[in-house]
């Protein structure tokens, strides 16, 4: 209709511009970080634990969401989506308590349709396990983001010679006599893992 035409903008050029306004509503965003033992890994005193990096990024995102008036909750805690400055201390308290999930992947729980999620973790689980959980949430109409956090040593496997690796989640010990001979294969395997994650998130 004529009432929708942006006459000021249309007068500046040949095309006719129509002004449309979008209804704004606060989003509900569920945040999650991997609380498993593998996230406590760091390769040296100069690097940060993956768990600390995940929590820092989660709280930074929460701060931005609160500033934008969005509602948020910590997945797996039963917390109701809330907003405002008071939510940050609440999230921080929950992250340090036993109420957060210690599994390497979140549990599937029913969320409102069109909810949003952001997950922080190393996502080194089997791709089919990640796919199963994301598919379940996608069936609810939920969309989101995965933020993969890796230690520099996990990216490059910089060790040389004879190294004893100790699993942080009960995987036992593995003695590798010549780590440098495995470096190329390891990096290829990590690249395949990342490619699989990309394919999963694009699929949904």
């Amino acid at each position: 209709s004529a009432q929708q035409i942006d006459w000021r903008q249309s007068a500046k050029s040949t095309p006719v511009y129509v002004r449309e306004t979008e209804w704004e509503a606060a989003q509900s965003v569920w945040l999650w970080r991997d609380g498993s033992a593998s996230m406590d890994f760091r390769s040296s005193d100069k690097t940060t634990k993956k768990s600390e990096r995940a929590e820092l990024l989660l709280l930074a995102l929460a701060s931005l969401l609160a500033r934008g008036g969005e509602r948020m909750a910590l997945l797996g805690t039963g917390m109701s989506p809330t907003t405002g400055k008071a939510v940050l201390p609440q999230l921080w308290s929950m992250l340090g308590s036993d109420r957060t999930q210690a599994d390497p992947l979140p549990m599937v729980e029913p969320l409102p349709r069109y909810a949003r999620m952001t997950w922080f973790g190393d996502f080194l689980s089997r791709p089919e396990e990640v796919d199963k959980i994301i598919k379940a949430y996608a069936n609810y109409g939920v969309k989101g983001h995965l933020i993969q956090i890796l230690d520099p040593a996990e990216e490059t496997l910089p060790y040389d010679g004879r190294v004893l690796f100790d699993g942080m989640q009960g995987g036992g010990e593995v003695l590798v006599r010549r780590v440098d001979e495995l470096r190329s294969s390891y990096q290829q395997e990590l690249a395949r893992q990342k490619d699989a994650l990309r394919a999963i998130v694009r699929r949904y």
Side-chain angles (χ1 to χ4, degrees):
S1 66
Q3 287 81 6
Q4 289 181 286
I5 296 176
D6 186 336
W7 295 106
R8 184 184 296 272
Q9 188 68 30
S10 299
K12 296 178 183 178
S13 58
T14 303
V16 175
Y17 288 88
V18 175
R19 183 181 298 277
E20 293 183 356
T21 56
E22 183 178 303
W23 177 65
E24 292 185 5
Q27 289 278 353
S28 291
V29 182
W30 272 260
L31 306 172
W32 177 86
R33 65 94 172 91
D34 182 350
S36 63
S38 71
M39 292 295 288
D40 287 331
F41 174 72
R42 64 175 176 179
S43 54
S44 73
D45 293 337
K46 296 180 180 179
T47 59
T48 304
K49 287 183 179 180
K50 293 188 292 182
S51 58
E52 294 172 354
R53 181 68 61 181
E55 290 174 1
L56 175 64
L57 291 172
L58 186 151
L59 290 169
L61 176 59
S63 178
L64 291 172
L65 291 170
R67 253 185 257 177
E70 313 292 0
R71 299 187 303 257
M72 73 207 79
L74 201 59
L75 190 66
T77 63
M79 175 185 179
S80 297
T82 185
T83 190
K85 293 182 179 179
V87 73
L88 297 178
Q90 186 180 2
L91 288 175
W92 174 249
S93 175
M94 285 184 167
L95 288 170
S97 74
D98 292 332
R99 283 182 289 173
T100 53
Q101 189 171 303
D103 293 328
L105 292 171
M107 299 292 289
V108 178
E109 56 185 81
L111 295 181
R113 191 162 182 81
Y114 306 121
R116 296 290 181 267
M117 296 194 305
T118 301
W119 300 350
F120 300 88
D122 56 21
F123 300 109
L124 296 176
S125 301
R126 296 181 182 277
E128 55 267 26
E129 295 174 0
V130 180
D131 182 88
K132 181 179 178 181
I133 294 174
I134 292 180
K135 181 180 180 179
Y137 278 113
N139 288 338
Y140 286 122
V142 176
K143 293 185 178 181
H145 305 274
L146 302 187
I147 312 297
Q148 188 178 40
I149 299 170
L150 297 174
D151 185 272
E154 291 176 318
E155 294 271 10
T156 60
L157 195 68
Y159 312 111
D160 290 309
R162 191 170 182 264
V163 178
L164 178 66
F165 293 95
D166 187 12
M168 300 186 72
Q169 293 182 195
E173 296 180 344
V174 176
L175 179 63
V176 180
R177 300 188 183 281
R178 295 289 301 274
V179 176
D180 47 302
E181 293 180 354
L182 298 178
R183 187 172 296 119
S184 177
S185 298
Y186 170 85
Q187 291 173 350
Q188 290 175 12
E189 188 63 31
L190 182 61
R192 280 194 288 270
Q193 176 79 5
K194 291 181 178 181
D195 288 342
L197 290 174
R198 289 190 191 97
I200 291 168
V201 296
R202 286 172 179 161
R203 188 178 308 133
Y204 300 111

